[in-house]
Amino acid sequence: MLQKFQEGLRLNFLHWCSIAKEVGGADGQHTKDWGENYGQALNLLLRDMLNDILGVQDKTTDTIQLLLQKLQRLCDALNQPMPNIGADGLCLYEEQKQLQSYIAEWESVLNMKKQELKTLEKKYLSLCKSLGEEPRLKFEYSRMPTAAALHDYECTIQQLETTLFERHERFYHLKALITEHVEHLHYRPTCEFEKKVLSDNVMEFTKNNMAQLECFVAELEKIKQSIEDDIAHLRSRIEDLWNMIDTDLKYRDDFRTLHIGRSLDVLDKLREELHRCEVVKKENIQNFVEKLRSRLEEVWKKCHCSDSIKSSFTCFYSNCYTEDLLDLHEIEIGKWEKYYEDNQQLIQLLEKHKELWQEVIVLEENAAAADRYKNRGGNLLQEEKKRNKLSKIIPKIEAEILALCEEYTKNNGGAIFTTFGEPPDAAIQYLHQKRDVDRRMKLSARKMQRELTPSSTTKLPVSLYGASTSKIIVTPAAKRKLLASPTPSKKLKNEVHNNPKT
């Protein structure tokens, strides 16, 4: 296009020169004047044209420079490389147009990413507020985050969402427990937080709120357990007092039916009933002390207490019937009931051993009976089987008793367990020694009996009624033994003397 413009200017100038030459001559004065005027006008026009085009060039260059700067900022904000501008050899206007196209495209991308970032920031701030967390992420819009940073943002938000969901689930689980405890206990809120929890108001799931909620549940469970323990204790105490004051059975059943459960209201009613029973007990204090003494004697017997232990409780013999005396008896009963509970296995084994040992003694007495061979019902075989069974069971029980005694000593600072004032091992040893002594004494007695049996007899005449009698012929040796006192041997005497409990 410029070449055509240049050719047009050249042709027009040549045409002008041709006309000027024709009109004023080649060297005419008029031709010279026209040439000077025309040249000045042409130069002035060309200078104006040049200035205009240079102005357009400068303006376009400045615009391109501004566009390049803007594009650079967009690329920096988007973390994108700068396009290679000017490599295609385009004119300034084309370069400007291309830059404007790049800028429009990157601005659209930047606005979209900013909107996404704002959405993430809004979500993040909302989660932080709901969880009571201090926002730690800083969202910068002057420079878009990289893909890795954006992924970290999303992971952080996802973690917060998970935490919020878990706290949401935990909150409503705890609230359900709280509601159940409150209804069960008839509990009344004591602070604003408790009132807010029990209301329908929306709560933020902050760490502080969740911690208070956990404490509230723990406190209610503690109260519930305390009430249950108190109610169980009061019921047991009331039952004892009912038995003590001979309360009507129908009254007891009606009271139990009317006051079931483990609420604060039930606890209050039980306390009222306990107070009523205490008043009745106070009015009949002597009778109740006597009843407790009977019960204490049973507990002492159950715990294998010795006479020295019983006599050490001097209140048992007091005639000053007061509430303190009654309380001391109740404390003593409670102490020994606790003792029995702690050593129940050992005491029951001792009772079992006593029972089985008595069976052994009975079997040995049956074995020594004179008519044992007259049995026709198979009792001898049954007794032998039972004897063999006991010979296996009793040693096992004795070993278990001794092991439990050692454990008792270990757990009670070296104290020795006793049964009616005697250590179990000594009592068991005494039973075995006494059994051996009794057995040898019985053998000695049977031996003496055999020696005293007549060696020969003579028949006497038959009586008038057909009955016959026999006369015992006693030898001199047998006569001397009959005259001697049937005392045990010296060895047996020593054994019995060494074991006076026989």
Side-chain angles (χ1 to χ4, degrees):
M1 181 179 178
L2 290 176
Q3 187 176 2
K4 185 178 179 181
F5 178 70
Q6 290 175 353
E7 183 64 24
L9 287 176
R10 188 180 70 80
L11 291 175
N12 287 330
F13 179 74
L14 291 176
H15 189 205
W16 182 86
C17 290
S18 175
I19 294 173
K21 183 179 178 182
E22 183 179 350
V23 174
D27 296 323
Q29 186 62 38
H30 291 289
T31 302
K32 291 180 180 179
D33 294 337
W34 290 339
E36 290 178 1
N37 293 333
Y38 184 81
Q40 291 177 357
L42 183 59
N43 287 331
L44 182 61
L45 176 62
L46 289 175
R47 280 198 301 271
D48 291 340
M49 290 176 63
L50 180 61
N51 290 332
D52 288 342
I53 199 65
L54 287 174
V56 172
Q57 183 185 29
D58 292 340
K59 184 178 180 181
T60 304
T61 303
D62 292 341
T63 302
I64 289 174
Q65 188 65 32
L66 293 174
L67 291 174
L68 285 171
Q69 293 174 1
K70 187 174 183 180
L71 182 61
Q72 183 65 52
R73 289 194 298 272
L74 287 172
C75 290
D76 292 341
L78 292 170
N79 294 301
Q80 295 292 334
M82 185 71 176
N84 191 7
I85 305 298
D88 297 334
L90 301 177
C91 66
L92 294 179
Y93 275 158
E94 291 295 332
E95 292 289 352
Q96 179 180 340
K97 185 177 179 181
Q98 189 180 50
L99 283 171
Q100 289 172 342
S101 176
Y102 277 129
I103 289 171
E105 179 183 354
W106 290 125
E107 281 182 340
S108 176
V109 173
L110 181 61
N111 290 333
M112 182 178 65
K113 288 187 175 294
K114 282 185 177 181
Q115 190 62 36
E116 292 177 355
L117 194 61
K118 285 182 179 179
T119 302
L120 286 176
E121 183 181 21
K122 184 178 179 181
K123 192 173 185 179
Y124 173 74
L125 294 176
S126 176
L127 288 169
C128 288
K129 182 180 179 182
S130 298
L131 295 172
E133 302 284 346
E134 187 69 25
R136 298 179 181 178
L137 296 180
K138 301 298 181 182
F139 291 82
E140 297 181 2
Y141 293 91
S142 60
R143 186 181 184 89
M144 291 294 102
T146 62
L150 194 62
H151 177 70
D152 292 340
Y153 288 168
E154 292 173 348
C155 289
T156 301
I157 291 173
Q158 186 175 3
Q159 290 176 356
L160 292 176
E161 287 178 333
T162 302
T163 303
L164 181 62
F165 175 77
E166 291 174 350
R167 289 186 185 179
H168 181 275
E169 292 293 313
R170 181 63 177 166
F171 174 83
Y172 284 103
H173 171 70
L174 293 176
K175 185 172 182 179
L177 288 177
I178 290 171
T179 304
E180 180 183 350
H181 290 331
V182 167
E183 292 177 354
H184 178 74
L185 300 173
H186 296 172
Y187 179 83
R188 288 176 289 276
T190 58
C191 63
E192 289 300 323
F193 178 79
E194 294 179 358
K195 293 177 182 178
K196 190 174 182 180
V197 170
L198 295 171
S199 68
D200 295 330
N201 296 333
V202 179
M203 290 187 62
E204 294 179 349
F205 306 122
T206 64
K207 284 184 178 180
N208 185 44
N209 285 345
M210 296 302 295
Q212 289 189 66
L213 202 65
E214 296 280 358
C215 291
F216 189 19
V217 172
E219 184 65 24
L220 287 176
E221 289 179 348
K222 184 178 179 181
I223 292 173
K224 179 184 176 183
Q225 186 61 48
S226 176
I227 290 175
E228 289 179 354
D229 293 342
D230 290 345
I231 287 177
H233 174 72
L234 287 174
R235 289 190 189 279
S236 176
R237 180 71 178 141
I238 289 171
E239 289 289 342
D240 292 340
L241 288 173
W242 278 346
N243 293 331
M244 185 181 294
I245 64 178
D246 293 328
T247 302
D248 181 66
L249 295 179
K250 185 177 183 306
Y251 176 85
R252 302 186 192 188
D253 293 337
D254 292 342
F255 184 87
R256 295 190 194 102
T257 304
L258 187 61
H259 303 102
I260 59 175
R262 296 180 176 86
S263 66
L264 288 170
D265 295 340
V266 173
L267 182 63
D268 292 338
K269 294 297 181 181
L270 289 173
R271 285 171 176 165
E272 292 176 4
E273 177 63 14
L274 179 65
H275 177 70
R276 185 192 72 81
C277 294
E278 291 286 354
V279 172
V280 176
K281 180 187 75 172
K282 188 175 181 180
E283 295 172 352
N284 300 271
I285 196 75
Q286 182 174 352
N287 293 334
F288 299 147
V289 169
E290 296 299 334
K291 288 183 179 180
L292 287 179
R293 284 175 175 172
S294 299
R295 182 179 168 190
L296 180 57
E297 287 182 327
E298 295 175 359
V299 174
W300 277 340
K301 182 179 179 181
K302 184 172 68 172
C303 293
H304 293 199
C305 294
S306 64
D307 292 338
S308 61
I309 290 177
K310 297 176 185 178
S311 61
S312 64
F313 183 63
T314 56
C315 297
F316 190 84
Y317 310 99
S318 174
N319 294 325
C320 183
Y321 297 101
T322 62
E323 284 194 55
D324 291 339
L325 183 66
L326 189 69
D327 292 339
L328 289 172
H329 279 75
E330 290 177 344
I331 292 171
E332 185 71 8
I333 290 173
K335 180 183 77 173
W336 286 106
E337 285 181 342
K338 177 68 167 54
Y339 175 85
Y340 181 81
E341 181 181 348
D342 294 340
N343 303 283
Q344 184 175 1
Q345 184 181 3
L346 178 54
I347 294 173
Q348 288 179 349
L349 282 174
L350 288 169
E351 294 291 340
K352 183 66 176 177
H353 182 271
K354 178 181 178 182
E355 178 185 344
L356 296 178
W357 191 265
Q358 189 61 35
E359 292 182 12
V360 170
I361 299 301
V362 171
L363 288 174
E364 290 182 349
E365 290 176 354
N366 292 340
D371 59 346
R372 67 187 301 262
Y373 294 108
K374 296 180 180 180
N375 174 270
R376 294 293 184 269
N379 288 339
L380 290 177
L381 181 59
Q382 295 297 327
E383 288 179 1
E384 186 62 26
K385 289 182 178 180
K386 192 171 184 179
R387 189 180 296 107
N388 292 334
K389 182 179 179 181
L390 291 174
S391 65
K392 296 177 182 178
I393 294 176
I394 290 178
K396 292 181 180 179
I397 293 178
E398 290 175 349
E400 192 170 353
I401 289 173
L402 296 179
L404 289 175
C405 287
E406 291 180 2
E407 184 178 349
Y408 176 89
T409 302
K410 181 179 178 181
N411 296 335
N412 291 274
I416 298 176
F417 182 88
T418 60
T419 170
F420 299 107
E422 189 175 14
D425 55 345
I428 291 172
Q429 183 180 6
Y430 168 75
L431 289 175
H432 284 282
Q433 290 176 350
K434 183 177 183 300
R435 179 188 175 196
D436 292 340
V437 171
D438 290 345
R439 185 186 299 152
R440 286 196 291 270
M441 290 182 67
K442 289 177 182 178
L443 289 174
S444 177
R446 284 200 295 270
K447 182 178 179 182
M448 292 175 62
Q449 184 67 30
R450 285 195 300 270
E451 291 177 354
L452 293 175
T453 302
S455 60
S456 62
T457 59
T458 57
K459 292 184 178 180
L460 297 177
V462 179
S463 68
L464 181 64
Y465 301 100
S468 64
T469 60
S470 60
K471 184 178 180 180
I472 299 175
I473 305 300
V474 182
T475 63
K479 185 176 181 180
R480 285 194 300 270
K481 288 190 176 184
L482 280 172
L483 294 175
S485 59
T487 56
S489 64
K490 183 177 181 181
K491 182 179 180 181
L492 288 176
K493 281 185 178 181
N494 292 334
E495 289 179 352
V496 175
H497 178 73
N498 293 332
N499 297 276
K501 294 186 180 182
T502 58

